[in-house]
Amino acid sequence: MKIHHIKMYKVPPRWLFLKIVTDSGLEGWGEPIIEGRADTVRTAVEEFAGYLIGKDPFMIEDHWQAMYRGGFYRGGPEVMSAIAGIDQALWDIKGKFYQAPVYELLGGACREKIRVYRWIGGDRPSAVREAALEAHKQGYSAVKMNATEEMHYIDHFSKIEAVCERVAAIRDALGGQMDIAVDFHGRVHKSMAKVLAKELEQFHLMFLEEPVLSQNNEALREIARVTATPVATGERMFSRWEFKQLLQDGCVDVIQPDLSHAGGISECRKIASMAEAYDVAVAPHCPLGPVALGSCIQLDTCTPNVFIQEQSLGIHYNKGGDLLDYISNPEIYRYHQGFIELIREPGLGVQVNEERLAEAEKGCKG
């Protein structure tokens, strides 16, 4: 069996789907995307296609190494996202050929279900409260919310108080029934991040996400000293070499590699194994589409230090398209009491509706 051709679809809200077709007719799907740079990633995939056409699709590790090491310059978000989508599609092909979900090819399941959380956002305490209550009614037991607007290096304490008011609104409404993660989005400088982390400790959060930009990860040492709340980061880190120093520093509790950004299933599997050796948990980043989430679920199923999975159903980014809009088997993403069942279909287990993709692509501008 050989790789025959590659097809891509750019669709709303900001997604890029990739199909790899073999000469036997077997197909695999991936999501190679860095948000806002779909065309750049598409070009990177097209450049890799010259290498891939005619190759054996089963030699996944060899292809990964060739794509990563084959040029003088390595890594970066666009290149690693291109490799990620290709890697996902190759695993999808291999699983379909052997009539097994990908996790079975990676050692088998280590759990029967996977905990998920949803984003709630909201700028005002009342909005956050209502969104959390709605999430609770939907069966979620964990949510994530934005922490704050951008802060200056030293800023007014009133901004810290505003964050605490929003978190308090959820605690007042639901008590300990809802775990809460607070995402700083790298909008806060080290000086104020320490203040905010200390003030938020009273709410016993699930984790603080990206309290500083990943370029400033050395600041996590100081933040970890002022709070017992778990610190999470990693959505803007793209290979095991970027995670290496972070793990060695011992100042992170949760890493969040994105399987559509950080080299796909193959690379994120290695990143998660590195984290396990440092006693660090994994919560894969995934505000993306159904193939990206399917890839995460496959990895989650066979990775012991994964404890929760982000997913994008109903997220504010998904204007013009949502998680279930481009697949024919939406039942795989039904959530019950805050968990999702394993996907047991072959490959990634995601049945992409290609006709819907082709129709959506006609109106996609971004």
Side-chain angles (χ1 to χ4, degrees), residues 62-77:
D62 190 51
H63 298 326
W64 198 101
Q65 296 292 337
M67 289 185 289
Y68 182 80
R69 299 178 187 273
F72 184 79
Y73 298 101
R74 300 177 180 179

Side-chain angles (χ1 to χ4, degrees), residues 17-28:
F17 287 78
L18 158 73
K19 179 176 72 167
I20 295 180
V21 183
T22 67
D23 56 8
S24 71
L26 199 59
E27 301 174 351

Side-chain angles (χ1 to χ4, degrees), residues 148-165:
T148 178
E149 60 188 309
E150 288 78 2
M151 286 188 182
H152 212 319
Y153 285 86
I154 303 296
D155 215 326
H156 298 288
F157 190 73
S158 60
K159 290 186 178 180
I160 303 291
E161 292 177 317
V163 177
C164 292
E165 287 176 10

Side-chain angles (χ1 to χ4, degrees), residues 112 137 151 255 355:
E112 286 299 319
K137 289 179 183 177
M151 286 188 182
I255 60 164
E355 291 183 4

Side-chain angles (χ1 to χ4, degrees), residues 285-306:
H285 180 254
C286 190
L288 298 169
V291 178
L293 181 58
S295 299
C296 289
I297 297 301
Q298 296 298 328
L299 183 70
D300 298 341
T301 301
C302 61
T303 304
N305 52 330
V306 167

